[in-house]
Amino acid sequence: MGVFFVSVISRDLFLYLSNNKTLNRAAQNWGSNIASGKIVGGIDFPSSIKFIKELNEQGFSVTVDHLGEFVTSEEIARERTKECIQTIETIVAQRLDSHVSLKLTSLGLDISKELVFENMRKIMDIAEKYKIMVTIDMEDETRCEETLSIFKGLKADYTYISTVIQAYLYRAEQDIRNLNSYEPFLRLVKGAYKESPTVAFPKKADVDENYKKLIKSRLLNGHYTGVATHDDAIIEYTKRLVEEYKIPKHSFEFQMLYGMRTQTQKELVNQGYKMRVYVPYGIDWYGYFMRRLAERPANLAFVLKGMTKK
């Protein structure tokens, strides 16, 4: 019955729920009790450190992300910038094996491109100093071109910066070709926003095939890649590629979300693969959580199992 329940929950329903402001406000009120240590690290970065250390001790690398996006206040965007810098400094001070992920809308993308560059350069100056990778998360398709433009502008001056390509977008393959000259570290994902069929593959099977194509092109060109997926078929496809083409395991990594598929994560580490766990933190966890379920509704079963553990 549980499998049937998961299978009938539509992607559109989760995306609808992700935008429900009433549920989002309610989740902020009780999120620290329900989500912390289960699907998010904590309500802030200091409260997440113990979970990150536990993951590191088990052989996992981490990337952390302060949840929250669509900032419309310049003051808040600058506050987020300071918080990100403090996070990088804490990662170094605590000797954590962790990268940092961020969304440009949290730094003022919807306010002005100049503000984003100003804030990103402040962050990247510190990240470059301490050699901490900063990944620019990809948001919806309407912000894709501007995000990649900003990434290219920063990549010209900084080494420790990466970004994300979403396989459900028709443009993904060409975007990777356009980025190849930068020799970038890219995270490959399927994509989790509701997009028009004019810009994105509407069928899962087509998304999966495009995702495989992107993985193969990246692994064969030798540029470091994060294969971010919970899909067993994609994981096995990647393993077969590695074996067939003798691809070094140090040239890529698997990435998964905190609190989901933990046993699979452990198995991959035991098999000698690098596994990076995405650990978000903050009170704005609800929208993130719903989009992850929309991306793969089967994750609900794994989340419920993890959240009910004592």
Side-chain angles (χ1 to χ4, degrees):
M1 181 176 179
V3 174
F4 174 76
F5 176 71
V6 170
S7 66
V8 299
I9 295 179
S10 72
R11 182 174 184 272
D12 286 347
L13 174 60
F14 284 126
L15 288 172
Y16 169 78
L17 292 173
S18 72
N19 293 317
N20 188 295
K21 294 181 180 179
T22 300
L23 290 175
N24 198 7
R25 285 193 297 269
Q28 289 181 9
N29 292 331
W30 44 259
S32 59
N33 295 325
I34 299 297
S36 293
K38 306 282 194 320
I39 58 173
V40 301
I43 60 173
D44 54 24
F45 186 66
S47 64
S48 305
I49 291 174
K50 64 178 180 179
F51 301 112
I52 297 169
K53 287 185 174 180
E54 288 173 1
L55 290 168
N56 287 169
E57 290 168 0
Q58 295 173 51
F60 300 114
S61 297
V62 167
T63 188
V64 297
D65 185 3
H66 185 177
L67 294 172
E69 52 199 303
F70 310 128
V71 168
T72 56
S73 162
E74 189 171 319
E75 181 181 1
I76 294 176
R78 295 188 192 281
E79 288 176 0
R80 283 297 181 89
T81 300
K82 292 178 182 177
E83 193 275 339
C84 189
I85 291 171
Q86 291 170 354
T87 296
I88 293 172
E89 292 172 338
T90 302
I91 287 172
V92 175
Q94 294 285 334
R95 297 183 178 180
L96 304 176
D97 178 0
S98 179
H99 291 176
V100 172
S101 295
L102 53 79
K103 289 182 172 60
L104 292 184
T105 53
S106 73
L107 302 180
L109 180 63
D110 294 342
I111 301 172
S112 77
K113 195 170 183 178
E114 291 73 22
L115 177 63
V116 172
F117 265 115
E118 177 188 337
N119 289 336
M120 277 300 301
R121 288 189 182 280
K122 289 178 181 178
I123 291 170
M124 290 311 305
D125 285 345
I126 301 301
E128 203 78 1
K129 175 182 177 181
Y130 293 116
K131 299 182 179 180
I132 300 295
M133 182 66 70
V134 174
T135 298
I136 299 175
D137 283 336
M138 192 58 68
E139 303 180 63
D140 60 46
E141 190 275 339
T142 62
R143 296 176 174 87
C144 182
E145 184 65 33
E146 195 164 18
T147 297
L148 291 178
S149 174
I150 290 170
F151 169 74
K152 292 173 184 176
L154 293 168
K155 192 69 174 69
D157 297 323
Y158 300 102
T159 300
Y160 291 89
I161 187 165
S162 61
T163 192
V164 179
I165 296 294
Q166 297 168 311
Y168 69 176
L169 295 181
Y170 300 136
R171 60 177 293 165
E173 187 175 8
Q174 186 59 49
D175 282 338
I176 287 180
R177 289 198 191 101
N178 294 340
L179 290 170
N180 277 338
S181 62
Y182 295 87
E183 300 184 359
F185 170 13
L186 296 180
R187 177 195 298 156
L188 302 183
V189 303
K190 290 188 181 182
Y193 291 86
K194 184 173 177 58
E195 303 287 4
S196 164
T198 61
V199 299
F201 295 102
K203 295 181 180 179
K204 179 182 181 300
D206 293 330
V207 175
D208 288 351
E209 286 307 306
N210 199 46
Y211 195 23
K212 290 177 182 178
K213 184 190 299 185
L214 301 183
I215 291 170
K216 185 174 183 178
S217 70
R218 287 289 298 176
L219 295 189
L220 292 183
N221 73 19
H223 299 156
Y224 196 83
T225 302
V227 180
T229 183
H230 294 173
D231 189 327
D232 288 327
I234 298 296
I235 293 170
E236 292 306 313
Y237 171 80
T238 304
K239 288 181 179 180
R240 291 195 298 272
L241 277 180
V242 169
E243 183 176 351
E244 179 180 356
Y245 292 97
K246 310 300 180 186
I247 297 168
K249 288 183 179 179
H250 61 73
S251 66
F252 75 101
E253 63 187 43
F254 286 109
Q255 297 185 4
M256 292 189 186
L257 304 174
Y258 182 55
M260 301 186 193
R261 305 301 305 273
T262 54
Q263 186 56 42
T264 301
Q265 294 176 19
K266 292 176 183 177
E267 290 171 358
L268 288 169
V269 169
N270 291 337
Q271 292 166 8
Y273 294 99
K274 184 164 187 175
M275 167 58 62
R276 187 173 304 280
V277 180
Y278 181 93
V279 181
Y281 64 91
I283 62 173
D284 291 325
W285 63 274
Y286 174 79
Y288 151 81
F289 180 42
M290 288 298 132
R291 283 197 297 274
R292 298 294 79 76
L293 293 181
E295 190 173 16
R296 190 168 187 265
N299 282 337
L300 180 59
F302 298 108
V303 173
L304 292 176
K305 181 178 179 181
M307 292 181 75
T308 54
K309 286 183 179 178
K310 294 183 179 180

